[in-house]
């Protein structure tokens, strides 16, 4: 081989190498060492049972995007499991750290799996008490301090505080009466605070989504019940509903919408003796009243879907009651045809479940059941002690 041929061959090899390197750079294939690995952060809530795909970015030493084999791992696979492709399977409420390793470098991202527990009231002897139990089952734990009783539990959206009702026998020089007032307590049982103190009954609390106000039913007008709101400390009490001319209407069961713009409630425009209750909504300032249901039945106990597009409620008719779902602007309602009396439904924060109270008669112990929003998968949630008026309490995962 001549010197000229050798030189030409060397030039061809160098050119081929340059073309190959350029092609690698154009295709994003790793040509230099990995400088860093970045995982796109979690956006939005991730509920137990959900699955999401994580994104990863690899940057080489020249600051350019690159490709390399990635090995994924999770610090707690009981909370979040990650497969070889970076897909997360959320398993239970808690926190975990997901790690992506490529070219000797690692990137990490915190994963928060949201969950919830069931908060409900149950009879203990001749009184009612409040209990909390994991939604998947377990041993209920008592919420209130010893000697304290309560009903109508309503947790704040973040699960940090719980409003509830205490019924006490009051007495003064004029006589004795049973009085209902609203209290609040932290989820750990501390920080108990009385919010209302009036001879008129105050009950059925419902928190605003931002936790600053509470809607409730009150008999303070001296006629029938009305919907009121107050701040989270019990001050700035405002009446929202007023009776139409020449009528005495009763309102009950307020429920704040997830976006805070509407309050749903039940009302009997024809007077408390007619039994014809329908579902209404209004704005938190009392304006914009909208009727969602109409008819001879007794509609009550509204509860919002987490996306605010629908409401589930109880319809009582002909000695039976069933659950119904109606759109947030009204329309035809679709129901769950089931024997017995169903009432006080609550929609889970992830939208997958509705919990409700069911009994077969006045002397029966109420039990908690759950059902999917398509009315399939009915499941009993409480045992012999029973339960009533359940709400979903946001689970608070431990810190990392």
């Amino acid at each position: 081989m001549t010197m000229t041929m050798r030189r030409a061959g060397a030039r061809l090899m160098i050119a081929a190498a340059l073309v190959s390197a350029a092609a690698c750079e154009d295709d994003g294939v790793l040509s230099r060492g990995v400088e860093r690995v970045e995982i796109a952060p979690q956006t939005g809530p991730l509920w137990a049972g959900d699955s999401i795909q994580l994104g990863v970015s690899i940057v080489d030493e020249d600051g350019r995007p690159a490709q390399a084999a990635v090995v994924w791992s999770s610090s707690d696979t009981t909370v979040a499991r990650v497969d070889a492709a970076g897909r997360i399977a959320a398993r239970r409420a808690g926190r975990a750290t997901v790690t992506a390793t490529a070219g000797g470098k690692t990137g990490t991202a915190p994963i928060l799996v949201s969950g919830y527990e069931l908060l409900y009231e149950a009879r203990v002897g001749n009184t009612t008490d409040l209990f909390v139990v994991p939604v998947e089952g377990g041993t209920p734990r008592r919420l209130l301090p010893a000697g304290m009783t309560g009903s109508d539990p309503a947790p704040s959206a973040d699960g940090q505080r719980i409003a509830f009702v205490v019924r006490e026998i009051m007495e003064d020089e004029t006589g004795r009466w049973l009085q209902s007032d609203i209290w609040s307590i932290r989820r750990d049982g501390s920080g108990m605070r009385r919010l209302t103190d009036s001879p008129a009954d105050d009950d059925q609390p419902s928190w605003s989504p931002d936790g600053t106000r509470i809607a409730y039913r009150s008999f303070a007008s001296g006629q029938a019940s009305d919907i009121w709101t107050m701040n989270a400390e019990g001050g700035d009490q405002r009446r929202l509903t007023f009776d139409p001319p020449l009528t005495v209407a009763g309102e009950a069961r307020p429920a704040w919408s997830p976006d805070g713009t509407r309050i749903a409630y039940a009302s009997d425009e024809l007077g408390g003796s007619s039994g014809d209750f329908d579902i209404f909504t209004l704005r938190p300032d009392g304006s914009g009243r909208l009727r969602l249901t109409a008819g001879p039945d007794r509609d009550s106990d509204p509860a919002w879907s987490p996306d605010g597009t629908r409401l589930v409620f109880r319809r009582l008719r002909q000695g039976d009651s069933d659950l119904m779902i109606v759109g947030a602007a009204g329309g035809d309602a679709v129901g769950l045809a089931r024997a017995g009396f169903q009432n006080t439904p609550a929609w889970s924060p992830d939208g997958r479940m509705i919990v409700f109270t069911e009994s077969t008669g006045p002397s029966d112990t109420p039990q908690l059941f759950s059902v999917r929003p398509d009315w399939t998968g009915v499941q009993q949630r409480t045992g012999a002690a029973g339960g009533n008026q359940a709400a979903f309490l946001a689970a608070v995962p431990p810190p990392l």
Side-chain angles (χ1 to χ4, degrees):
M1 182 181 294
T2 66
M3 181 66 67
T4 301
M5 293 176 63
R6 284 197 294 269
R7 287 175 178 172
R11 284 195 294 269
L12 287 173
M13 292 176 63
I14 293 171
L18 290 173
V19 170
S20 177
C24 288
E25 289 182 358
D26 289 342
D27 292 341
V29 177
L30 183 65
S31 58
R32 295 181 59 80
V34 173
E35 175 64 26
R36 65 181 183 274
V37 177
E38 298 175 345
I39 302 175
Q42 171 188 337
T43 59
L46 178 64
W47 296 98
D50 284 350
S51 180
I52 59 170
Q53 178 65 52
L54 293 181
V56 63
S57 300
I58 301 171
V59 179
D60 67 17
E61 292 173 342
D62 291 330
R64 298 181 178 182
Q67 295 179 2
V70 179
V71 177
W72 293 89
S73 62
S74 170
S75 64
D76 191 340
T77 57
T78 68
V79 172
R81 179 178 290 172
V82 59
D83 65 15
R87 189 161 190 84
I88 291 287
R91 308 185 67 189
R92 66 172 178 84
R95 299 178 190 270
T97 298
V98 169
T99 301
T101 302
K105 300 290 186 178
T106 61
T108 62
I111 298 295
L112 172 62
V113 179
S114 300
Y116 42 80
E117 299 174 298
L118 284 180
L119 168 67
Y120 63 97
E121 68 175 62
R123 297 288 299 180
V124 179
N126 295 322
T127 63
T128 58
D129 207 340
L130 304 184
F131 294 89
V132 178
V133 67
V135 73
E136 62 271 14
T139 302
R141 68 179 186 275
R142 192 171 185 269
L143 176 68
L144 300 177
M148 191 76 177
T149 64
S151 62
D152 283 1
S156 60
D158 62 3
Q160 295 303 310
R161 293 200 67 85
I162 297 163
F164 63 101
V165 174
V166 175
R167 293 178 172 87
E168 302 175 281
I169 296 177
M170 310 296 287
E171 184 174 5
D172 63 14
E173 64 277 3
T174 64
R176 304 177 70 192
W177 67 93
L178 183 64
Q179 178 174 314
S180 297
D181 287 303
I182 298 173
W183 295 58
S184 72
I185 192 172
R186 296 192 186 98
R187 66 180 298 139
D188 63 2
S190 65
M192 192 157 57
R193 179 185 304 160
R194 185 173 195 149
L195 303 184
T196 67
D197 187 0
S198 168
D201 285 342
D202 301 320
D203 58 11
Q204 301 178 359
S206 173
W207 290 83
S208 63
D210 62 5
T212 61
R213 297 194 67 80
I214 298 173
Y216 63 102
R217 179 179 73 166
S218 179
F219 290 81
S221 68
Q223 297 177 324
S225 58
D226 291 291
I227 304 303
W228 292 61
T229 66
M230 60 182 167
N231 64 34
E233 289 73 42
D236 190 24
Q237 297 178 358
R238 305 176 189 175
R239 183 180 175 184
L240 301 188
T241 59
F242 296 85
D243 299 340
L246 304 178
T247 65
V248 178
E251 284 79 33
R253 292 289 171 193
W256 222 300
S257 67
D259 64 2
T261 62
R262 308 289 295 181
I263 297 173
Y265 62 98
S267 177
D268 179 5
E269 286 192 336
L270 302 179
S273 62
S274 72
D276 178 14
F277 274 74
D278 295 304
I279 305 300
F280 294 79
T281 68
L282 47 60
R283 300 187 187 98
D285 63 2
S287 66
R289 189 166 175 268
L290 175 66
R291 187 173 192 162
L292 304 188
T293 67
D297 303 320
R298 186 183 181 97
D299 296 341
S300 186
D301 305 352
W304 294 84
S305 63
D307 62 3
T309 62
R310 296 179 290 171
L311 294 98
V312 60
F313 63 96
R314 185 275 304 267
R315 171 165 287 173
L316 177 64
R317 55 189 170 187
Q318 299 177 350
D320 188 20
S321 71
D322 294 305
L323 300 185
M324 311 292 291
I325 291 178
V326 69
D332 294 334
V334 180
L336 168 66
R338 182 173 168 83
F341 294 85
Q342 294 80 42
N343 56 64
T344 57
W347 215 310
S348 66
D350 61 5
R352 296 173 179 169
M353 181 192 308
I354 296 170
V355 167
F356 60 94
T357 303
E358 180 176 286
S359 62
T360 58
S363 62
D364 182 41
T365 299
Q367 299 287 350
L368 296 180
F369 288 78
S370 65
V371 66
R372 299 186 189 99
D374 63 0
W375 303 132
T376 63
V378 176
Q379 180 180 347
Q380 186 168 336
R381 294 282 172 174
T382 48
N388 192 16
Q389 297 195 28
F392 287 93
L393 180 64
V396 179
L400 287 173

